[in-house]
Amino acid sequence: MTANEMLRAPAEVKYAEELDWLESVDDGPKPFSWRLSPRMVRLFILGSERSDGLDREIPQKWFGDRSFVERSIVTLASDRGLLLIGDPGTGKSWLAELLAAAVCRNSTLVVQGTAGTTEDHIKYSWNVSMVIAKGQSRESMIPSPIMTAMERGMIGRFEELTRSTSDVQDALISILSEKYVSIPELDTDNTVFAKPGFSIIATANSRDRGVNDLSSALKRRFNFVRIPVVTSRTAEAEIVRFRTTELLRRHRIELDVPPTLLDILLQSFADLRAATASAASEDEKLESALSTAEQIGVLEDAILHSHFFGDRTLRAETLAGALVGSLARRAPEDLAILNKYWHGVVEPRSKQDGGEWTGFLEGGRQAISTLS
């Protein structure tokens, strides 16, 4: 199946041609069974520079500090577990996907941590009909994505590790330290050993602290890389622009995003973050994390609405409606906060600066009135 036939293609499919080319010109040392050398993994994720001396440009795919990517790559090369931790929307999962795609060309061996995740999701389960017909055997066993990664010497991913219960988390301890899984139900062929190249990339939301804290034993088996919230206006603009370009390409939409509207979106989120930081109580804070990912979601909603229900031109009114609709999750608390922002910040700015802020003011007012 090609990338065009998938709603969301994994990174190794989406960038298959680029990865093939990088592999063909890569003459650097590769740990274990890695498809690319650490240098090329970094280049694939962060993009190429003129000093790299390549015959083609490799675009940047993850926007953040170079040291975070390098530390992540070094951790995987040492066969230790890697834990990416940070606030929602900081790109932890996207970085994990890119790392797995570059290292082993498979980012889909994923366990999603939830309250319902069990040890079977980490180790193995059984095909009940085959067990009834032929008994328990390796053929009737259903390996988890983590066990499959062990058998193939690949990267297994565990999303939202702290959302799963402590006993499920602890099932990872022996896998990370001993690198094998025992299958006591079988008399023979009852141990799965990890092949060289196997490792685990886990992600954790720093806002989930206290939900299911990691044990000290499990923490010792992970190298922690903390991904901070993007605070640079320039970097955040690059991320939003990059994701928006992908969106337009995927939906085959020809629509320009005026730089002035992107500036308004960035400024609005910066204002709302500042208001949240200075709020005296939780009731005065938006429920939204106001992350970069949520900015992208707001812009995506506005673009699609303009394409399907507008005149295929992105307007400030549509952007304001998308922002209010995305951030007003609690009624009446979030609506009251947004109404205060529109009257106290957007309205004075509209009078002072005019331009697109005028349409943004009217669009926001209408959206708040409709939802109130």
Side-chain angles (χ1 to χ4, degrees):
M1 185 178 288
T2 65
N4 291 333
E5 297 172 310
M6 303 178 188
L7 181 60
R8 183 194 178 280
E12 63 272 15
V13 175
K14 186 175 184 178
Y15 301 110
E17 188 273 335
E18 188 177 298
L19 286 166
D20 286 339
W21 185 84
L22 287 172
E23 193 170 346
S24 70
V25 300
D26 188 6
D27 58 1
K30 303 179 181 67
F32 310 116
S33 56
W34 285 27
R35 298 288 293 271
L36 293 177
S37 66
R39 174 177 170 271
M40 282 299 187
V41 172
R42 183 188 66 181
L43 192 147
F44 169 69
I45 295 171
L46 295 176
S48 60
E49 299 176 353
R50 184 172 298 178
S51 59
D52 293 314
L54 298 180
D55 294 333
R56 60 178 285 181
E57 181 183 0
I58 303 299
Q60 187 173 4
K61 302 169 189 66
W62 188 83
F63 297 83
D65 195 295
R66 177 182 296 264
S67 64
F68 300 140
V69 176
E70 292 178 348
R71 177 167 164 76
S72 298
I73 295 170
V74 168
T75 295
L76 296 176
S78 71
D79 83 4
R80 285 180 58 83
L82 170 65
L83 179 61
L84 303 174
I85 186 168
D87 282 354
T90 49
K92 303 181 297 296
S93 297
W94 179 232
L95 177 57
E97 181 177 339
L98 290 171
L99 286 165
V103 168
C104 61
R105 298 293 287 270
N106 189 341
S107 65
T108 62
L109 299 174
V110 184
V111 173
Q112 180 64 51
T114 68
T117 304
T118 67
E119 191 171 331
D120 291 351
H121 292 109
I122 298 175
K123 293 183 175 180
Y124 59 89
S125 57
W126 299 96
N127 184 321
V128 177
S129 60
M130 288 186 66
V131 170
I132 293 173
K134 299 181 180 180
Q136 290 177 321
S137 65
R138 287 297 295 269
E139 290 71 28
S140 60
M141 189 178 73
I142 304 173
S144 71
I146 299 297
M147 180 178 281
T148 300
M150 295 177 68
E151 292 179 303
R152 298 179 183 177
M154 292 182 170
I155 303 294
R157 295 169 53 203
F158 199 124
E159 289 290 309
E160 304 293 354
L161 179 59
T162 51
R163 302 300 296 176
S164 56
T165 58
S166 298
D167 56 330
V168 173
Q169 294 176 17
D170 287 345
L172 285 175
I173 294 177
S174 62
I175 293 175
L176 288 168
S177 57
E178 306 301 333
K179 309 297 185 190
Y180 67 79
V181 172
S182 297
I183 311 169
E185 296 90 340
L186 301 182
D187 295 327
T188 59
D189 196 15
N190 57 4
T191 306
V192 173
F193 292 96
K195 290 184 178 179
F198 165 71
S199 191
I200 292 176
I201 304 176
T203 64
N205 188 338
S206 55
R207 295 198 176 197
D208 288 339
R209 186 174 300 167
V211 177
N212 291 298
D213 288 335
L214 303 182
S215 67
S216 298
L218 187 55
K219 286 180 179 178
R220 289 198 302 272
R221 287 158 176 82
F222 277 113
N223 271 358
F224 283 57
V225 174
R226 297 188 178 275
I227 309 296
V229 174
V230 178
T231 55
S232 165
R233 181 79 167 265
T234 302
E236 193 164 45
E238 285 295 325
I239 295 170
V240 175
R241 196 176 292 112
F242 171 75
R243 289 296 199 177
T244 304
T245 301
E246 287 193 328
L247 165 73
L248 294 171
R249 188 185 301 118
R250 186 169 77 241
H251 289 282
R252 298 178 183 176
I253 295 175
E254 293 184 5
L255 186 150
D256 291 330
V257 178
T260 52
L261 290 186
L262 182 57
D263 287 341
I264 287 176
L265 177 64
L266 293 169
Q267 184 61 57
S268 299
F269 266 72
D271 293 338
L272 290 167
R273 286 168 183 161
T276 296
S278 61
S281 67
E282 290 299 318
D283 289 340
E284 297 176 4
K285 297 180 181 179
L286 288 169
E287 188 176 81
S288 165
L290 297 170
S291 65
T292 305
E294 285 172 312
Q295 286 192 64
I296 295 166
V298 168
L299 190 55
E300 179 178 4
D301 287 350
I303 287 172
L304 292 176
H305 193 280
S306 300
H307 179 72
F308 292 118
F309 301 112
D311 58 1
R312 301 190 179 184
T313 300
L314 183 61
R315 302 188 185 282
E317 293 86 348
T318 308
L319 182 65
L323 189 147
V324 172
S326 296
L327 301 186
R329 299 175 182 177
R330 301 174 302 172
E333 294 90 347
D334 286 347
L335 283 172
I337 295 169
L338 289 169
N339 188 52
K340 180 180 178 181
Y341 170 66
W342 242 262
H343 282 289
V345 178
V346 178
E347 185 174 347
R349 193 169 283 151
S350 172
K351 293 177 180 178
Q352 178 180 333
D353 299 337
E356 297 286 11
W357 280 103
T358 303
F360 190 73
L361 172 66
E362 294 306 317
R365 279 176 171 172
Q366 183 177 348
I368 293 170
S369 176
T370 301
L371 293 173
S372 297

